[in-house]
Amino acid sequence: MRDIAIVSFVQSDCVRDAGARNEVELIMPVVRKVLDNVGLESAQNVDFTCSGSCDYLQGAAFAFVLGVDALGAVPPIKESHVEMDAAWALYEAVLKIQSGQAESALLYGFGKSSPGELPIVLSQQLDPYYLAPLWLDTVSSAALQARAMLDSGEITEREMAEVVARSRKNAKSNPHAQLKGDVSADELLNEPTYLSPLRKHDCCPVSDGACAMVIATVEQAKKWGKPYAVLKGIDHRIESAHFGARDLTKSPSTEAAAKAAGVANGPIDIAEIYAPFSHQEIILKKALGLGDDTVINPSGGVLAGNLMMASGLSRIGEVAMRIINGECKRGVAHATSGHALQQNLVAVLEGA
Amino acid sequence: MSDANKEALEPITGIESPVYLDYNFTAGQATARFLTKVKEGKLVGQRCPSCRNVYIPPRGACAACGVATNEEVELPHKATVQSFTIVYIPIPGNPIKPPYVIANLVVDGANISFLHLLSECKNEDVRIGMRVEAKWKDPSEWGFAMENIQYFAPIDEPDVPAEEIGRLKDA
Ligand SMILES: [Zn+2]
């Protein structure tokens, strides 16, 4: 496997409502900036472009195609899309580079979730025969999972509140965060439950925004003369679509992906975990095999702002930028997709 | 085999699973600026700062260059037929009686076409390069939509050669 360099990453602010802006207007600023950081003129200067998004979020058919207007795709470029988080667009690009079909790639993810009722929209991720007709929303399925965690004694409500308090505190140093500040676990536990046992703060906010990344072979990154972080391993696994067939208190797909990505091959300084609900961070920390010496979600994670279809790539970008900036040497990034952590991707990053 | 088992083996050929999702649609900042002008009876395109192409309706970026199109250009209401089709099949909910003409029109000064209706002529006389002009509805009916133009109608001007339609002219 060829080492892959993550050279540049840019994320927009997480905002509750991006107003009139369409997909092109969300994507263009982050793509422009991420290319400028590498000194590239346009998407013409990379071998491959791949994006992650979901048209259901904004309710606009073929928004993912219209988004290509942000790239300058004349003459035609090699381009692809995943109807998933852009972390999986990165995975596709990694395969493309590994198979020798590209030396560099531009990735971006965008989500405009504000026009719809996001938890209900995401009910359409479920299987179409048994669960989607129930309109089971993502907050309810997460509540089922949290209840199973509490009843099994794996976590306490206080531990959930502590996850939120740390997220809000860490987010104070993240200029793109939507929710930040000093709040104690005690204060959080005084809040009423929203969808029992979840309180509102246990759930990530709804956010609009986009992110973009440039990756390349290490050789290409050296030619560009830019600092980079090295992607040492990446893997993703999926569990059954049926909640009844899963133990919701565990994440075996994350465990398997972490093993394949090589998380345990060295100490982990920081981890950016895509946990849209507080209790999920506890499940994932365990599944990733992380100890207390690892700093979890220094950005505040997605409880501080969740760009659907971009947050996963952002986790990887956050770790990469902290490595590039010399804050740490080795980190793990995680992305999730589907209800109650159905599908999980794990990436291991190291310094050059 | 008992009757109960026979019933259980009845093939299931479909289930009803309706989906209702409500959205607050937004057109995009650039398109919203365009539609605001359409409500005033004006056709305002946007020019690419890089390749100088003028887009109408604009979506915020030059698709060729990938840059924002912030410069606004008010365009005349005359256009050229770039392509057309004659619709013979009635479309449910469409009040227009077939056969009628749908045309790809390039407004003078623009470099991209949009679809609109063509009328006040025999369908068999419609041709690529034909010159037409917008027929606006009464201003009292104007909204944020291209339907403010009822249709385009032929004008007495020489045809534009096909290879010149929508091309940038040297300034
Ligand atoms: Zn252009």
Side-chain angles (χ1 to χ4, degrees):
Chain A
M1 163 156 167
R2 292 204 280 179
D3 278 348
I4 286 172
I6 297 177
V7 184
S8 176
F9 169 74
V10 169
Q11 191 206 290
S12 73
D13 290 347
C14 294
V15 294
R16 179 61 186 86
D17 187 341
R21 278 182 282 170
N22 63 17
E23 55 289 332
V24 176
E25 290 161 335
L26 285 176
I27 298 163
M28 215 165 19
V30 291
V31 164
R32 186 65 267 148
K33 211 164 163 190
V34 86
L35 292 170
D36 283 347
N37 288 351
V38 190
L40 302 175
E41 200 181 316
S42 76
Q44 300 287 340
N45 302 112
V46 291
D47 297 335
F48 181 56
T49 297
C50 196
S51 59
S53 69
C54 175
D55 291 353
Y56 277 77
L57 297 184
Q58 70 195 83
F62 292 99
F64 79 100
V65 177
L66 299 172
V68 174
D69 281 5
L71 302 178
V74 175
I77 58 172
K78 287 179 191 161
E79 188 269 343
S80 182
H81 174 261
V82 294
E83 193 82 358
M84 306 185 72
D85 189 289
W88 277 267
L90 168 67
Y91 190 87
E92 182 174 336
V94 166
L95 295 183
K96 199 98 174 166
I97 293 176
Q98 292 298 348
S99 60
Q101 296 178 62
E103 295 292 310
S104 57
L106 165 69
L107 312 159
Y108 62 91
F110 68 95
K112 192 175 179 188
S113 300
S114 60
E117 211 182 326
L118 183 61
I120 297 286
V121 170
L122 294 176
S123 70
Q124 299 308 304
Q125 289 183 317
L126 296 164
D127 88 82
Y129 305 108
Y130 299 104
L131 289 173
L134 299 176
W135 294 63
L136 180 65
D137 65 275
T138 37
V139 183
S140 296
S141 56
L144 283 172
Q145 186 178 37
R147 175 61 67 202
M149 294 287 290
L150 291 165
D151 283 6
S152 70
E154 298 243 6
I155 56 163
T156 63
E157 292 193 33
R158 174 161 295 274
E159 285 170 323
M160 290 166 65
E162 281 163 357
V163 166
V164 179
R166 181 168 36 75
S167 161
R168 295 284 194 276
K169 183 166 169 280
N170 289 354
K172 282 163 58 183
S173 61
N174 178 356
H176 306 303
Q178 192 173 336
L179 301 175
K180 57 180 92 176
D182 289 308
V183 60
S184 71
D186 284 324
E187 287 170 287
L188 293 171
L189 286 169
N190 277 334
E191 295 288 320
T193 54
Y194 167 55
L195 263 175
S196 175
L198 300 175
R199 293 171 170 82
K200 272 231 156 134
H201 55 249
D202 289 309
C203 315
C204 61
V206 176
S207 319
D208 290 347
C211 74
M213 181 184 277
V214 171
I215 66 168
T217 58
V218 165
E219 298 74 38
Q220 181 60 57
K222 283 179 178 160
K223 272 186 219 162
W224 284 336
K226 300 290 171 188
Y228 57 89
V230 179
L231 182 69
K232 296 302 284 190
I234 185 167
D235 198 87
H236 72 102
R237 303 295 167 103
I238 192 163
E239 293 171 47
S240 170
H242 294 279
F243 291 112
R246 292 173 55 194
D247 178 353
L248 293 176
T249 67
K250 297 187 168 53
S251 184
S253 55
T254 303
E255 270 176 52
K259 195 167 177 230
V263 173
N265 294 349
I268 297 288
D269 303 327
I270 62 162
E272 279 285 340
I273 299 176
Y274 193 164
F277 299 90
S278 61
H279 65 277
Q280 294 177 339
E281 187 185 298
I282 300 167
I283 300 175
L284 292 164
K285 184 184 171 189
K286 201 169 164 188
L288 290 164
L290 302 175
D292 289 333
D293 45 352
T294 298
V295 177
I296 308 283
N297 287 344
S299 72
V302 298
L303 289 175
N306 181 29
L307 303 175
M308 285 305 302
M309 308 300 150
S311 275
L313 185 66
S314 278
R315 307 276 66 69
I316 298 161
E318 281 282 348
V319 173
M321 292 317 287
R322 283 171 203 274
I323 288 174
I324 290 172
N325 295 337
E327 282 177 49
C328 62
K329 290 192 167 63
R330 191 165 187 269
V332 61
H334 159 268
T336 198
S337 181
H339 283 232
L341 305 175
Q342 191 199 350
Q343 185 170 10
N344 295 282
L345 178 147
V346 177
V348 176
L349 286 76
E350 291 180 5
Chain B
M1 195 184 282
S2 74
D3 284 352
N5 276 343
K6 268 186 199 159
E7 202 172 329
L9 290 171
E10 195 71 27
I12 297 164
T13 55
I15 62 164
E16 271 188 42
S17 175
V19 176
Y20 304 104
L21 299 173
D22 289 325
Y23 295 95
N24 293 314
F25 176 74
T26 50
Q29 286 177 334
T31 311
R33 293 206 305 275
F34 164 76
L35 291 172
T36 303
K37 293 294 182 185
V38 166
K39 193 167 187 290
E40 297 167 9
K42 291 174 184 167
L43 295 176
V44 180
Q46 291 177 16
R47 191 192 307 277
C48 172
S50 178
C51 69
R52 309 299 293 161
N53 272 310
V54 172
Y55 291 89
I56 183 167
R59 294 200 65 257
C62 171
C65 304
V67 296
T69 53
N70 293 323
E71 187 195 336
E72 309 215 320
V73 191
E74 186 169 350
L75 299 170
H77 299 184
K78 290 182 179 180
T80 305
V81 175
Q82 188 180 44
S83 182
F84 67 95
T85 187
I86 302 172
V87 181
Y88 289 97
I89 305 163
I91 295 164
N94 189 335
I96 306 163
K97 293 268 170 296
Y100 58 91
V101 181
I102 291 276
N104 250 334
L105 302 170
V106 182
V107 166
D108 292 3
N111 307 101
I112 194 167
S113 65
F114 56 77
L115 285 173
H116 217 298
L117 294 166
L118 218 65
S119 197
E120 288 186 19
C121 59
K122 286 184 186 158
N123 289 349
E124 49 272 30
D125 289 344
V126 177
R127 61 203 178 271
I128 289 172
M130 184 176 174
R131 297 283 293 150
V132 295
E133 189 172 39
K135 295 290 175 185
W136 292 74
K137 290 179 182 168
D138 187 86
S140 64
E141 296 177 57
W142 289 351
F144 298 104
M146 282 300 270
E147 285 75 50
N148 293 356
I149 297 173
Q150 192 150 15
Y151 52 79
F152 282 74
I155 48 175
D156 190 18
E157 286 185 12
D159 285 9
V160 176
E163 62 276 12
E164 284 176 25
I165 302 169
R167 298 287 166 207
L168 278 178
K169 291 214 175 70
D170 293 332

